[in-house]
Amino acid sequence: MEELFVADAKSTNYEQLIDELMNTYGQDILQLVYAYVHNEALAEDLTQEIFVKCFKGLPTYTGRSSIKTWLWRIAINHAKDYLKSWYNQNVKVTEDAILSRATISSSVEQVIVQQDEDTELTAAVMNLPIKYREVIFLFYFEELSIKEIAAVLQCNENTIKTRLRKGKLLLKGILEGSEWKRD
C-alpha cells in the first residue's frame, strides 16, 4: 500500500487519498490523540484538524518514511502543540454531559460494571507521564516496534526501550497499589 500511496500522492486526486487515509488510520489517530488530551470530543476535533493538516501536506509528502509514521508524527506534534497552547492552559470548559451522566448512573450495578479491569488499566496508563504514556500506547495498543516508535517520536531506540521499561515499572506500581489483579 505504501508504494501505491507514494505514487498516488504525486497525482492530483488528494481528496480520494485523504479519504483513504481517514478510513485506514482515522480510529488509530483518534485513540492516539485521546491518549494525550483525555477528552473524547476534543480528541475528535483535533483528529479532524490533523487530517486537514495532512491534506494540506500531501503535496509535500516524499515517501522518506512510511505514511503511517508520517501521519503519527503529524498527530503527535498537533496534540503536543494543543497541550502547550494558551487556550488549553487558560480556558477550562465544563462538560454538561459528564455532569448529567454522573447523576444518572448512581445505581450500584452500574458503578461495578464501570470499574472493569480494562477501565482501570486504561486509566492507569493515562495517568502516566506523557513520555511513558506515549511509548506504552504505541507499543502495546498500536503494536508498533521499538524501531517504528523511535521513528515516530524521533528518539533513539535505546531511549524508547528505557522509557518502555520505566513506564512498565510505573504502571506496575500504580496497579499493585490498587485492587487490580489478573486471574
Side-chain angles (χ1 to χ4, degrees):
M1 179 175 164
E2 292 294 325
E3 296 83 23
L4 292 173
F5 186 82
V6 172
D8 287 346
K10 298 191 186 313
S11 72
T12 56
N13 193 359
Y14 297 122
E15 290 86 8
Q16 182 181 359
L17 289 174
I18 200 69
D19 189 46
E20 198 174 307
L21 283 175
M22 288 182 349
N23 288 332
T24 305
Y25 299 113
Q27 187 63 35
D28 294 337
I29 294 296
L30 178 63
Q31 291 172 342
L32 175 65
V33 172
Y34 181 81
Y36 282 89
V37 298
H38 301 97
N39 180 312
E40 188 177 340
L42 179 59
E44 289 173 358
D45 290 345
L46 291 175
T47 300
Q48 287 180 353
E49 293 171 11
I50 288 163
F51 279 108
V52 169
K53 275 188 174 183
C54 180
F55 179 76
K56 289 178 181 177
L58 278 174
T60 63
Y61 177 71
T62 60
R64 288 187 293 158
S65 63
S66 74
I67 190 66
K68 186 175 182 179
T69 301
W70 181 70
L71 194 54
W72 256 243
R73 187 76 251 152
I74 292 171
I76 289 170
N77 286 340
H78 192 70
K80 285 182 176 180
D81 287 346
Y82 174 79
L83 292 174
K84 291 187 278 185
S85 72
W86 178 91
Y87 180 84
N88 179 54
Q89 294 179 1
N90 295 303
V91 177
K92 300 298 177 205
V93 179
T94 60
E95 294 187 32
D96 294 333
I98 290 175
L99 296 174
S100 66
R101 270 190 245 140
T103 58
I104 292 171
S105 64
S106 59
S107 76
V108 175
E109 294 168 328
Q110 289 176 337
V111 171
I112 291 172
V113 169
Q114 289 178 355
Q115 293 178 346
D116 185 41
E117 289 177 356
D118 291 340
T119 304
E120 190 170 343
L121 177 60
T122 302
V125 170
M126 294 301 161
N127 286 326
L128 290 174
I130 198 156
K131 67 182 181 179
Y132 303 119
R133 182 183 340 137
E134 65 190 0
V135 173
I136 297 271
F137 179 82
L138 293 172
F139 188 78
Y140 289 105
F141 293 94
E142 293 300 325
E143 299 178 355
L144 296 180
S145 69
I146 299 289
K147 188 175 186 174
E148 291 171 323
I149 296 170
V152 168
L153 298 179
Q154 298 176 339
C155 291
N156 186 316
E157 287 182 38
N158 288 331
T159 302
I160 299 301
K161 290 176 188 175
T162 302
R163 287 181 183 175
L164 189 58
R165 186 174 58 251
K166 176 78 173 177
K168 288 192 296 188
L169 285 173
L170 289 170
L171 198 55
K172 182 179 178 185
I174 291 169
L175 293 174
E176 284 179 350
S178 70
E179 294 182 17
W180 189 86
K181 293 181 177 81
R182 286 192 176 186
D183 294 324

